[in-house]
Amino acid sequence: MSHRHLVLVFAVVLTTVTSIALAAATLPAPVHSALAPQAPGYLAAPHDGGGHPALPSSVTSSSSLEQRILATTKADHIPRAAVSLPNLVGHATVRNGAVSPLTTVAPAPMGIGTFGVRNTTGIPQPYTLRSSSWEGSITINNVNTFLVNNDGALSTTGGNNTFGVQLNTVTNGTTVKNHSSYDFWTQNVMYWNLVPGTVTFLDNIWNFSSPSVSLANGTLYSYNGTPVYPFFYYDFGPTIPITMPVTVHLFVNSSITNLASTGYGYTTVRFGYDIVNAATHVNEAAGVYDTVLFNSTTPIGSVPASPFLVDGGNLTPTNFLLYDAELMIGGPGGGTTTSVYGINATEQLQYWDSGLGKYVNPPSAWNVGTDTGESSEGIAETYTTPGIVSVGAGPSIPTPFWNATPGGNAGAATVSAALSPSNAFVFFTPGGAFNPNIAAWAPTQTSSSVSYAVPPGTYTVNAMLSDYTPLATTVSVSAGDHIQLNLGLQRNMLTGVYTPLFAWNNGQLAALSTRGTGSASNPYLIENNPARGGVNPVFGEMNDYLFPVFPGVLFAGTTAHVSLQHPSLMRFTYAPIYQGYLVAVGLPVTNNLQFELFNASNVTIWNAKGITGWFFLDDYGPTGLLPMANVIVWGGSHDLIGHNKFVGQGSSLLLASLSGVGSNVVWGNRFVNSSSLSPMMYPGNGAQNGPPIGIFAFESGDLIYNNYVATSITAFAPEMNMFYGYGELNLENWNLSMVEPRGYAVSYNGHTLSGTIVRSPYQGGNFWANYVPGSGLPYNEFGFIQSGGDYFPLPITAYSVTFTLSGWSQGTTWSVTLNGFTQSTSTPAVVFYEVPGSYNYTTALVQGSGTISPASGSVTVVNLNQTVSLSLS
């Protein structure tokens, strides 16, 4: 790799300066780098059972810390993307003198991590590495991520993506006031938004000097960003346009700034970047976007260097996180994850060797980071020679690389397969048997063939899809092998619904259905056919922040008519790897997966007998502007959510879109609280400090009527675009345009919508359990529906208002507009139904000759049917 671009960035060896502005102008050359004596050996292999060791008391305290941090950020209105969380719920260990990785199963912070342990003989040996600078580089040729829950899903083609790449390091011996004994976790992060095509830089600093991870007021002397006392510091850097293919270099540098104006020396960390067009190798942007000086009362000349430390024999003073360096791909902040469906990239992680005067590869590495809270899945990594790691779509299996295990798992083998149906799921388990505790999802989307590059080893490959017989085969591959499998599944309704139901196109809907052609008159029908044991527990995969990976139903970009009638409720029991953690924090070990309609049109979810499911309260549900709910209708049109029962454990139904405009119908549903709520379920202390919410609406234009809503908070419709966060008018139709008789009927997606969900002679709006008749209209849940509301809450007491036209003759068409609603007729009378009140009307002649009088007027409805006489002259 050429580093000519470093000439501008690392141009000056730092000497005493008199201005902080000068200190921020350039990223100086590293001033200290030394490798401690190294013993042969490396990192311990991951222990069986996965990523949540050290339960339960330490988990409970860490979870409490996590909640306090997130409560502070919410109270201070800190953007979720500003909070790049450490792995507060992970618990690293030291065994036989060597640290073990925090993350041993997917989802994981996939990338490159170095932890200060060698293992070339089978016996792990710790070492320490100190350097004043680290560089993380990633070249992305193309990428396709998709996860509705983290807003990272703007298209099904990879045209729009949101994910993060982080360079994370730990300072050691940092000077604060007059003590040179502090350790800080420094993160240089970039968020990728591939439409319109930008990267946004962000840094975080966290105090790793004690288990409290507390950043005391006054810790920092000079900075560009925002301290969030008592926990962390962040700074948003520039947003810069990019085009693929692109290479981005991230840098962190530690040095000493001497200020003659104060007489003190200051430990200084700088965060820099360099963006290079990977096709032309032209430098497109470079700079330092943040310079942080730690507060000091130590005289010039007495402040020791504070290098970044990698230490394989000791934990940081947090007692649960490592001294490591890592470059990783993960969700867009806040402990999120992201699903990668396609990627072609390379990565490199290097440290500055002052003796050699250049960046060099770390002595040993894994394909994962460990200290960070964000994660990813669907990424497979390989390498041929130490240093450059190839990144492609495939199973995310944490694996030791060079000098991290005997042989280093060098090389790549290709496992390809013909896949039918193309929306079947593929998992890899290391070893000779499928194990849901450690199985890793390998992405599939629309292709009838898949191919994954994986490190050499033995894998059990599973293909599965609801109502199809699963297939499993074990393969052992060496570097350079190319194995071809046949993963053609056979239809078998006896297997039932044991996987989620994903469809990325109309053909995949057909593969899931039992009958129908996908037309309006003959929609695809997907049967309620639950498997006896429920959904396979492997689909309950979640990261250390309990951020879920899989929904139960995902229809994305489909247009054919399809009906989920009395659908399976996607219930499952979490794999044993998660159960100890769940119990420790007071959560159940069972759950239900979500229903997600993403830019999918003409879909009906009808007569589900108990849609439910919980989210961990820290997972940033709708009030944190992440689309998390039991049913999500995101974009699309002409979808019907009808005649279902929602049993709320947090967020029941979410309506949202990028454009802010919807055209769907929500009719005849019951929304009630679950009888088994836990204070740890989202949003137990989430939305406005309230318990479960029935309907979230972040768009205008949907018709929501004849629903029974009795959740603690019935509805929430803020004037905000959920994805972009800017203000917008969200004016849903919470009632019909006018009151209609009970027998009034509308046909929608093949269903007749008629009658009322509670006893009422008239149709209009919804039944709201907390509405008090006479308390004023429209009903707006005490302001939670910020614009508009329900003008005709059920049950309705209404009266007929009949307009008669004397002088009418055959061929005359006329209209009346009453209370803003217009009816036209070719008969001598027209009937409206109105609740008590006073209403203005206007009349008009549509076809014929003459004048209608009066042309306008008003009518008062008070406990009687009314007749208004008009004349045509």
Side-chain angles (χ1 to χ4, degrees):
M1 178 187 301
S2 171
H3 287 285
R4 288 179 294 174
H5 60 275
L6 296 180
V7 173
L8 293 178
V9 181
F10 293 98
V12 181
V13 177
L14 193 62
T15 58
T16 300
V17 297
T18 59
S19 168
I20 295 175
L22 288 177
T26 57
L27 190 59
V31 296
H32 178 82
S33 178
L35 279 175
Q38 299 175 22
Y42 187 73
L43 202 65
H47 55 281
D48 293 337
H52 301 293
L55 293 171
S57 59
S58 53
V59 164
T60 303
S61 60
S62 293
S63 178
S64 175
L65 173 62
E66 170 193 350
Q67 293 166 48
R68 294 198 306 274
I69 290 172
L70 295 180
T72 298
T73 60
K74 291 175 184 178
D76 291 348
H77 305 290
I78 306 299
R80 182 194 77 251
V83 191
S84 191
L85 287 165
N87 189 348
L88 297 172
V89 295
H91 292 269
T93 58
V94 179
R95 294 185 297 172
N96 299 321
V99 300
S100 294
L102 275 168
T103 306
T104 58
V105 295
M110 300 302 296
I112 308 175
T114 185
F115 311 132
V117 183
R118 298 173 60 93
N119 185 359
T120 58
T121 63
I123 301 175
Q125 297 290 337
Y127 64 86
T128 57
L129 185 157
R130 294 177 173 86
S131 176
S132 61
S133 184
W134 282 84
E135 173 192 21
S137 305
I138 185 167
T139 297
I140 297 183
N141 299 303
N142 57 70
V143 63
N144 173 14
T145 69
F146 188 101
L147 192 68
V148 173
N149 281 342
N150 74 5
D151 267 355
L154 303 189
S155 81
T156 59
T157 63
N160 305 274
N161 302 263
T162 301
F163 62 98
V165 175
Q166 305 178 15
L167 171 64
N168 302 328
T169 50
V170 184
T171 72
N172 178 242
T174 301
T175 298
V176 177
K177 299 296 178 64
N178 59 351
H179 297 285
S180 300
S181 57
Y182 289 86
D183 299 324
F184 291 93
W185 193 46
T186 56
Q187 296 176 276
N188 195 353
V189 182
M190 52 184 168
Y191 290 135
W192 298 68
N193 300 283
L194 300 188
V195 168
T198 61
V199 291
T200 298
F201 292 95
L202 163 82
D203 64 46
N204 271 197
I205 296 176
W206 296 77
N207 186 4
F208 274 17
S209 304
S210 72
S212 67
V213 192
S214 177
L215 188 71
N217 198 340
T219 299
L220 306 179
Y221 177 75
S222 173
Y223 43 84
N224 300 342
T226 305
V228 183
Y229 297 120
F231 290 116
F232 78 111
Y233 164 88
Y234 76 93
D235 177 46
F236 277 109
T239 295
I240 298 176
I242 58 167
T243 55
M244 295 291 184
V246 64
T247 297
V248 182
H249 305 279
L250 295 172
F251 301 95
V252 289
N253 186 48
S254 176
S255 59
I256 305 301
T257 299
N258 296 317
L259 294 182
S261 59
T262 65
Y264 300 140
Y266 299 84
T267 302
T268 303
V269 175
R270 290 178 172 83
F271 301 86
Y273 64 90
D274 191 2
I275 301 176
V276 179
N277 185 304
T280 64
H281 306 291
V282 172
N283 183 281
E284 296 183 340
V288 176
Y289 67 91
D290 196 13
T291 299
V292 177
L293 276 63
F294 290 87
N295 203 2
S296 172
T297 56
T298 301
I300 290 173
S302 299
V303 178
S306 176
F308 301 106
L309 174 63
V310 174
D311 183 350
N314 296 283
L315 301 180
T316 64
T318 62
N319 295 329
F320 60 89
L321 293 167
L322 303 181
Y323 289 105
D324 76 341
E326 58 192 32
L327 178 71
M328 55 75 63
I329 298 172
T336 58
T337 193
T338 193
S339 294
V340 178
Y341 282 84
I343 186 170
N344 182 337
T346 58
E347 295 176 319
Q348 190 169 18
L349 177 66
Q350 295 188 310
Y351 70 94
W352 180 261
D353 187 308
S354 60
L356 297 176
K358 64 179 182 178
Y359 286 94
V360 298
N361 298 326
S364 55
W366 278 61
N367 68 346
V368 291
T370 191
D371 278 349
T372 189
E374 288 72 43
S375 61
S376 55
E377 58 278 343
I379 292 177
E381 297 183 352
T382 60
Y383 79 100
T384 301
T385 56
I388 302 293
V389 172
S390 297
V391 182
S396 294
I397 301 174
T399 303
F401 274 179
W402 61 88
N403 295 328
T405 190
N409 291 314
T414 302
V415 178
S416 301
L419 182 67
S420 176
S422 58
N423 48 335
F425 296 91
V426 175
F427 284 85
F428 281 56
T429 300
F434 176 75
N435 181 348
N437 280 324
I438 58 175
W441 168 70
T444 63
Q445 199 162 33
T446 59
S447 177
S448 59
S449 62
V450 293
S451 185
Y452 312 109
V454 296
T458 298
Y459 303 94
T460 297
V461 183
N462 282 68
M464 59 183 89
L465 183 63
S466 290
D467 297 326
Y468 289 81
T469 301
L471 288 178
T473 183
T474 298
V475 296
S476 293
V477 292
S478 301
D481 286 352
H482 190 151
I483 303 297
Q484 181 69 38
L485 305 176
N486 182 3
L487 300 178
L489 305 184
Q490 298 299 312
R491 192 73 184 226
N492 179 4
M493 297 299 291
L494 294 178
T495 62
V497 175
Y498 68 99
T499 75
L501 306 175
F502 279 25
W504 301 91
N505 56 38
N506 293 341
Q508 292 183 343
L509 286 177
L512 298 174
S513 66
T514 54
R515 61 179 183 271
T517 62
S519 66
S521 60
N522 190 19
Y524 290 126
L525 177 65
I526 297 178
E527 300 273 1
N528 172 27
N529 185 31
R532 177 174 296 181
V535 174
N536 191 308
V538 74
F539 295 102
E541 185 175 289
M542 56 188 176
N543 72 6
D544 286 316
Y545 279 93
L546 306 192
F547 202 92
V549 172
F550 294 101
V553 171
L554 172 62
F555 296 164
T558 61
T559 58
H561 290 259
V562 58
S563 182
L564 288 148
Q565 295 206 37
H566 183 37
S568 300
L569 297 177
M570 298 296 170
R571 185 171 177 82
F572 69 97
T573 299
Y574 283 105
I577 184 177
Y578 300 113
Q579 291 184 9
Y581 179 84
L582 294 171
V583 170
V585 297
L587 287 167
V589 299
T590 60
N591 207 350
N592 296 69
L593 298 175
Q594 301 162 267
F595 293 70
E596 295 179 351
L597 309 182
F598 179 81
N599 288 346
S601 301
N602 305 311
V603 181
T604 297
I605 302 176
W606 186 265
N607 198 27
K609 296 299 186 182
I611 296 174
T612 189
W614 56 264
F615 303 94
F616 190 36
L617 65 86
D618 291 339
D619 281 345
Y620 295 93
T623 54
L625 296 186
L626 282 183
M628 302 185 78
N630 302 137
V631 174
I632 297 173
V633 181
W634 184 284
S637 61
H638 218 265
D639 297 326
L640 171 62
I641 310 300
H643 198 47
N644 305 291
K645 182 177 181 181
F646 289 81
V647 183
Q649 293 182 307
S651 318
S652 289
L653 173 64
L654 171 68
L655 305 165
S657 61
L658 295 179
S659 66
V661 178
S663 57
N664 309 292
V665 172
V666 179
W667 179 91
N669 304 283
R670 292 181 177 270
F671 296 86
V672 298
N673 285 348
S674 170
S675 60
S676 56
L677 292 175
S678 161
M680 298 295 284
M681 293 174 179
Y682 178 83
N685 66 352
Q688 312 300 323
N689 291 317
I693 298 179
I695 302 172
F696 288 91
F698 286 83
E699 61 186 8
S700 299
D702 300 304
L703 177 56
I704 306 167
Y705 78 107
N706 193 42
N707 299 285
Y708 180 101
V709 192
T711 45
S712 299
I713 299 175
T714 57
F716 184 41
E719 293 184 337
M720 182 174 292
N721 182 283
M722 171 164 263
F723 181 82
Y724 293 110
Y726 54 60
E728 70 179 15
L729 179 64
N730 290 326
L731 194 60
E732 296 282 45
N733 301 304
W734 299 92
N735 49 260
L736 293 170
S737 299
M738 63 176 289
V739 174
E740 299 284 4
R742 178 180 173 83
Y744 172 77
V746 173
S747 180
Y748 199 85
N749 283 5
H751 293 271
T752 299
L753 311 183
S754 183
T756 57
I757 201 162
V758 296
R759 286 184 178 271
S760 176
Y762 298 99
Q763 299 181 43
N766 304 277
F767 174 82
W768 308 97
N770 61 354
Y771 172 64
V772 178
S775 61
L777 293 173
Y779 170 85
N780 64 7
E781 180 57 309
F782 304 100
F784 277 26
I785 301 174
Q786 292 186 357
S787 295
D790 189 344
Y791 287 88
F792 306 131
L794 296 176
I796 297 173
T797 300
Y799 301 92
S800 64
V801 180
T802 304
F803 290 84
T804 62
L805 182 63
S806 63
W808 175 87
S809 60
Q810 192 70 36
T812 299
T813 302
W814 58 289
S815 68
V816 177
T817 301
L818 177 67
N819 193 21
F821 184 76
T822 301
Q823 290 194 80
S824 296
T825 182
S826 298
T827 69
V830 62
V831 181
F832 293 79
Y833 297 91
E834 294 290 357
V835 299
S838 294
Y839 306 99
N840 295 324
Y841 70 84
T842 59
T843 64
L845 188 65
V846 179
Q847 183 175 335
S849 59
T851 301
I852 298 176
S853 62
S856 62
S858 64
V859 59
T860 300
V861 178
V862 183
N863 302 327
L864 290 172
N865 296 328
Q866 303 288 322
T867 299
V868 179
S869 298
L870 308 171
S871 63
L872 176 64
S873 61

